[in-house]
Amino acid sequence: MKLQALAALCSIALVEAKALTGEHAGVFGKHAIIRRQAHPTTSTPPTAAGSSTSGSSASTGTGTTANAPGTTTSAGAPVNTAPSTYDVNGIPPLSDITFGMPTGTTYAAASTVTPGTQPTTIPKAPVIPQFTVNPADWPAMDKPPPTDSPQVQAWMQELNGHTIPDIAPTVDGTCAGDPAAAAQAEQRGWWSCGGWTRPTDIVDCPDKLTWGVSFDDGPAPYTQKLLNYMNTKDIKATFFVVGSRALEYPQLLIEEYMAGHEISVHTWAHPPLTSRTTEQIVAELGWTRMIIQKVLGITPTTMRAPYGDIDDRVRAIALAMGLVPIQWTRAPSGFTFDTNDWHVAGGTVTGVDQMAIFDTILSNATIMDTGFIVLAHDLYEITVDLAIGYTLPAAINHNPPFQLKRIGECNSIPMSNMYVETNTNVTFPGPNATNATNPLPAIKAGSNTTGGSGSGAAANGSGSSDATAVGFPVVGAVVAAGFAALGAML
């Protein structure tokens, strides 16, 4: 195991070196290098009358074109059927989980939730709304949304009254890609270049031996397989949802939410946010927030930046839009709690290497005074198989045992306060935040919008790089008392 761990650490060094030389480039950045064989599909009955979704199709990056589960193609042929239960025998040996491995059958949503259904996991939650996918109503899949739309210009008004630091966008979100910005990483509060955080960031779970479980980049064709497994083990997680995937697989998003998992924003097209202008960041967050609200009837109050690429400008924009940033944990040594599952799907790490990396995560977690949050993904079959076959069981069976919880839950934030519509804290996320009763804040004649410049823009006209200038007094005031106090207020 020592040799495995050494090999794993060498793999991390190699992978991080590659990431610093341009793997963030492209629509999905590091994920863009992933290629998989075609998935077999079989038939399934068309969606029942009254279903809340109508499918659209888009490339999943796995070598196939997948439709929303339980929907039909334009020719009317049913598509994308899959098992509805977790098959313990369907997980390959760890040594076989690697890039280019044969693929299995995709998993459709286990159930079809009809409009008007009342969620049972959150008191007084809105019913599941009627939603029909019309691609013309939304930005292009996996493409940066345009910033000249009425929606984005309306969302820009949410920044009014908040100080948005005047920090220039980075070149590509990496230290190596922008040495000048990297030299000021501490002043910028740049997390992905140096691990700099602010009191408004959620970066761990307060209680020792507690894992805040999360999965990024879905929903996707194997998300239901993950959900089936977690249901058998009574595990709840936080899902950081890409807007394009929510539009592609709305029924899977509903399945996550109705099962009691937390839903959070993870941008529309998965770009490194520090490299985007203020208006581009607003567009990425706003469209993702909106598609989640249209499908589920609720609006998240949290977000995670792709690649963890956040600085004080991105934080301020997110907080002004009512979205608290959630990162993943870094040990005091600087070791990041990244499962590296995406590296296995990308062909730069093997399944055996990845598990050695995860063992290192658990070893670090046992000597920390707090709990932890780990980066993992539900976008690909490989990442799902690693989770349900190896990393989750390792944590469950660990001695001493770990408690697996949603990130909001482990921070004592009530489930209801993870969403605008059920939030009991009347001062959070703020009167200008988008919600169900005011999905598009009205643009007043003659009002000024901010951002869009190459150097970033301050919403109140006075730029600042001081994180304490972020106009978010509720979170800022309570963090000093710890996240337990935050949870009591949120």
Side-chain angles (χ1 to χ4, degrees):
M1 182 55 70
K2 289 183 179 180
L3 290 176
Q4 283 185 340
L6 178 60
L9 291 175
C10 290
S11 296
I12 294 174
L14 176 62
V15 162
E16 293 305 321
K18 289 182 178 180
L20 292 176
T21 57
E23 286 189 9
H24 281 70
V27 173
F28 261 72
K30 293 175 287 189
H31 304 295
I33 63 174
I34 298 172
R35 296 291 183 269
R36 296 298 303 276
Q37 299 175 17
H39 297 285
T41 57
T42 54
S43 61
T44 188
T47 304
S51 172
S52 61
T53 63
S54 175
S56 67
S57 63
S59 174
T60 63
T62 58
T64 66
T65 298
N67 287 65
T71 63
T72 60
T73 65
S74 58
V79 296
N80 199 31
T81 239
S84 59
T85 58
Y86 163 68
D87 178 10
V88 70
N89 298 315
I91 305 301
L94 185 60
S95 59
D96 290 351
I97 300 182
T98 188
F99 175 77
M101 62 180 288
T103 58
T105 304
T106 56
Y107 280 59
S111 60
T112 299
V113 178
T114 57
T117 300
Q118 180 71 56
T120 59
T121 56
I122 306 176
K124 300 181 180 179
V127 298
I128 299 298
Q130 177 73 44
F131 174 68
T132 301
V133 174
N134 180 4
D137 294 337
W138 301 93
M141 299 285 285
D142 302 321
K143 302 288 186 183
T147 59
D148 59 353
S149 68
Q151 292 91 339
V152 173
Q153 293 306 308
W155 294 329
M156 287 295 296
Q157 303 308 305
E158 297 179 51
L159 276 55
N160 290 341
H162 299 267
T163 299
I164 309 301
D166 188 11
I167 297 175
T170 64
V171 173
D172 62 2
T174 69
C175 302
D178 195 337
Q184 297 185 342
E186 182 177 5
Q187 295 91 326
R188 287 171 169 257
W190 193 2
W191 189 87
S192 50
C193 189
W196 302 105
T197 63
R198 300 302 190 210
T200 49
D201 296 344
I202 295 177
V203 297
D204 57 27
C205 298
D207 295 334
K208 185 178 177 63
L209 299 178
T210 301
W211 176 6
V213 183
S214 66
F215 295 94
D216 290 19
D217 296 353
Y222 292 93
T223 298
Q224 186 63 55
K225 186 178 184 181
L226 174 63
L227 295 174
N228 293 341
Y229 170 81
M230 290 196 292
N231 183 57
T232 66
K233 301 297 183 181
D234 194 27
I235 299 171
K236 304 300 180 186
T238 303
F239 284 91
F240 293 94
V241 172
V242 169
S244 293
R245 300 286 74 74
L247 182 64
E248 187 175 11
Y249 300 105
Q251 197 64 44
L252 283 172
L253 179 61
I254 294 173
E255 189 80 13
E256 293 173 351
Y257 173 60
M258 296 294 281
H261 303 284
E262 293 170 353
I263 306 299
S264 187
V265 167
H266 197 46
T267 74
W268 182 264
H270 206 275
L273 288 180
T274 66
S275 70
R276 297 312 194 247
T277 66
T278 294
E279 284 187 326
Q280 288 172 330
I281 295 168
V282 168
E284 290 281 351
L285 299 177
W287 281 111
T288 307
R289 188 179 57 176
M290 174 171 273
I291 185 62
I292 293 172
Q293 194 275 335
K294 291 294 185 182
V295 174
L296 301 180
I298 49 89
T299 308
T301 57
T302 59
M303 62 81 71
R304 173 176 283 170
Y307 319 108
D309 187 39
I310 194 169
D311 60 13
D312 287 341
R313 181 174 64 99
V314 177
R315 283 187 187 90
I317 295 167
L319 291 167
M321 297 179 73
L323 299 168
V324 175
I326 298 176
Q327 301 296 96
W328 53 95
T329 300
R330 286 177 184 252
S333 65
F335 178 78
T336 58
F337 281 38
D338 179 351
T339 63
N340 281 263
D341 57 354
W342 57 273
H343 282 308
V344 182
T348 56
V349 169
T350 68
V352 173
D353 291 337
Q354 187 270 339
M355 196 59 203
I357 293 168
F358 188 72
D359 286 340
T360 303
I361 289 175
L362 296 186
S363 296
N364 275 268
T366 59
I367 60 176
M368 291 170 52
D369 294 331
T370 67
F372 56 101
I373 297 170
V374 175
L375 177 66
H377 301 81
D378 63 319
L379 182 59
Y380 299 103
E381 182 181 22
I382 280 177
T383 60
V384 168
D385 282 352
L386 287 167
I388 65 182
Y390 299 97
T391 57
L392 290 172
I396 294 170
N397 299 320
H398 191 270
N399 186 19
F402 291 99
Q403 298 295 315
L404 277 58
K405 296 183 178 182
R406 301 175 296 255
I407 294 173
E409 178 187 13
C410 80
N411 280 280
S412 300
I413 301 174
M415 172 78 92
S416 57
N417 294 326
M418 298 297 289
Y419 309 108
V420 172
E421 293 75 14
T422 55
N423 194 347
T424 58
N425 182 353
V426 295
T427 61
F428 172 80
N432 292 326
T434 294
N435 56 47
T437 58
N438 185 23
L440 287 177
I443 301 178
K444 298 179 181 179
S447 64
N448 295 323
T449 58
T450 60
S453 69
S455 60
N460 65 356
S462 58
S464 170
S465 61
D466 184 356
T468 60
V470 175
F472 199 72
V474 175
V475 174
V478 299
V479 164
F483 279 113
L486 173 62
M489 293 184 66
L490 293 181

